Amino acid sequence: MITPGALEGVRVADFSRVLAAPYATMLMADLGAEVIKVERPDGGDETRAWGPPWSDEGESTYFLSVNRNKTSRVLDLRSPHDREVALELVAGCDVVMENFRSGTMERLGLGYEELSERHPGLVYCSVTGFGSGAGADLPGYDLVAQAVGGLMSVTGSADSGPMKSGVALVDIVTGLHATIGVLAALRHRDRTGEGQLVEVNLLSSVLSAMSNQASTHAVTGAVPQAMGNLHPSIAPYEVLATADRPVAIAAANDKLFGLLAQAVGRPELADDPRFGSNADRVAHRAVLAAELEDALAGHGADHWFDVLSAQGVPCGPINDLGQAFDLARRLDLDPVREVPSAAGGSVATIANPISLSRTPAAYRTAPPPFVPRSGS
């Protein structure tokens, strides 16, 4: 039996595609909202074609990653008839989500101003690359946002040059911001009856997500540089070699550093004036790393994970995704769920990371298959 979700009764007209906004609407669907995904006739959401890899049923694993618990409706928004159908759909919804280039929905007669006049309680979320001002005409994709937003400049090392994140991190963060914005707007509407426009964009999201690095520049004017696996303000907070594979160690304060020194059999390091405070350790990070790696060389990463964790020192080996899933299972985090598919089987999906004691996330349906309209 599926418990009614926290967003039960909320209906979302989802005109979005690709990743950021679909991730947001999937999170809302997991929490009980009814999400109707509107797709174009010529193949639907473009991520349906983003493969390999493909599932056993021939579906893109990329599309499957952000579209569970939704239904799909094929509409050609260039068609007057289908635009009327879209307007009827919106009339029965609490939320509109869209991530077209700025101005597109307005040209289609589906912009915020027009829809809010008809439906004052509507929450309308617009996800763009660079906002609705001077950057409105710029197309936005995660790779570009990582590049121009500074994230690539602090990722990688001096030797590697700028590097993108291994996942579309800016899209995901932007999707989270969109979800938070919609929930805040729904809360306001519940109190006042007033809907509103929620706007999020990739560039603002990546600048916010860069937190301490962005704050460094805003406060001091300094421009952070790529430091590989080092941290600009903490040591040891890095990846260190062991007898087999590397281990990440985050001894972020004096107490943790003392515990680390004891655990690796080098208690004298905690009394060394070069390492007496975090600032001292940052100033002598190369010497400290050499001392620690000498101590870690006697055993492998899994050994040190067990030993250091037992002492309360945050650490972990550099896992591949298979090892990461295995760890989550060992920790009873149940990272993969099976969702019924339209073909009669099931599809593996990644668990929603939000745990709610009374209204937990539900895994009702797999992402919808694309069903072309006759004649389309």
Side-chain angles (χ1 to χ4, degrees):
M1 178 179 177
I2 295 177
T3 303
L7 297 181
E8 191 84 11
V10 173
R11 201 161 185 250
V12 181
D14 183 8
F15 293 91
S16 70
R17 72 264 186 245
V18 187
L19 182 54
Y23 183 68
T25 54
M26 182 181 73
L27 294 180
M28 288 186 272
D30 290 349
L31 299 177
E34 179 187 357
V35 177
I36 303 97
K37 184 178 181 69
V38 176
E39 300 191 72
R40 64 188 192 214
D42 55 341
D45 188 320
E46 51 259 58
T47 61
R48 288 185 181 275
W50 285 8
W54 312 98
S55 73
D56 290 342
E57 296 175 358
E59 296 180 281
S60 157
T61 59
Y62 199 116
F63 178 81
L64 294 177
S65 72
V66 288
N67 287 290
R68 66 173 171 247
N69 290 331
K70 304 176 187 180
T71 58
S72 176
R73 190 159 189 181
V74 176
L75 294 176
D76 183 353
L77 297 179
R78 298 166 298 181
S79 157
H81 173 269
D82 281 11
R83 283 201 299 274
E84 286 300 317
V85 174
L87 288 171
E88 292 174 7
L89 172 63
V90 170
C93 288
D94 305 278
V95 178
V96 165
M97 178 72 71
E98 65 91 11
N99 64 347
F100 288 102
R101 196 178 297 192
S102 292
T104 300
M105 290 290 274
E106 285 74 13
R107 289 192 295 272
L108 294 170
L110 295 166
Y112 170 68
E113 295 297 334
E114 183 169 342
L115 294 184
S116 64
E117 286 184 10
R118 301 187 186 194
H119 313 291
L122 184 66
V123 172
Y124 190 109
C125 183
S126 179
V127 180
T128 61
F130 300 96
S132 57
D137 291 334
L138 295 174
Y141 275 83
D142 178 272
L143 174 63
V144 177
Q146 288 198 35
V148 302
L151 181 58
M152 288 177 64
S153 76
V154 296
T155 305
S157 66
D159 292 334
S160 72
M163 298 285 290
K164 75 175 183 67
S165 169
V167 296
L169 186 63
V170 180
D171 273 342
I172 296 300
V173 169
T174 304
L176 292 172
H177 291 167
T179 306
I180 294 167
V182 167
L183 295 180
L186 285 171
R187 173 65 173 148
H188 175 78
R189 192 199 65 175
D190 289 345
R191 291 200 313 268
T192 67
E194 298 175 336
Q196 61 182 297
L197 175 64
V198 178
E199 294 183 283
V200 296
N201 68 79
L202 299 181
L203 181 55
S204 295
S205 289
V206 67
L207 291 176
S208 173
M210 289 175 69
S211 58
N212 60 301
Q213 297 279 45
S215 178
T216 293
H217 177 67
V219 174
T220 71
V223 177
Q225 302 296 311
M227 297 179 64
N229 291 318
L230 303 179
H231 193 287
S233 307
I234 310 171
Y237 195 99
E238 58 198 273
V239 174
L240 298 169
T242 71
D244 49 18
R245 56 186 175 130
V247 64
I249 295 178
N253 57 47
D254 293 343
K255 178 181 177 180
L256 289 174
F257 179 65
L259 292 171
L260 170 64
Q262 288 283 347
V264 300
R266 296 291 303 277
E268 72 277 8
L269 293 177
D271 298 321
D272 190 315
R274 295 174 298 175
F275 315 134
S277 69
N278 178 69
D280 294 327
R281 294 191 289 275
V282 170
H284 301 92
R285 70 164 78 245
V287 176
L288 175 58
E291 295 281 3
L292 290 173
E293 289 190 330
D294 181 65
L296 295 169
H299 299 281
D302 290 334
H303 168 86
W304 289 118
F305 181 40
D306 292 338
V307 170
L308 297 180
S309 295
Q311 297 302 314
V313 178
C315 69
I318 309 300
N319 287 334
D320 60 28
L321 262 177
Q323 293 166 324
F325 275 101
D326 288 342
L327 174 61
R329 292 186 184 98
R330 292 201 304 273
L331 299 179
D332 301 322
L333 296 178
D334 198 9
V336 177
R337 309 296 174 87
E338 294 291 329
V339 187
S341 73
S346 65
V347 175
T349 191
I350 309 305
N352 187 303
I354 303 167
S355 177
L356 296 172
S357 63
R358 296 191 182 276
T359 54
Y363 307 90
R364 299 180 298 277
T365 60
F370 182 71
V371 181
R373 298 184 305 181
S374 58
S376 65

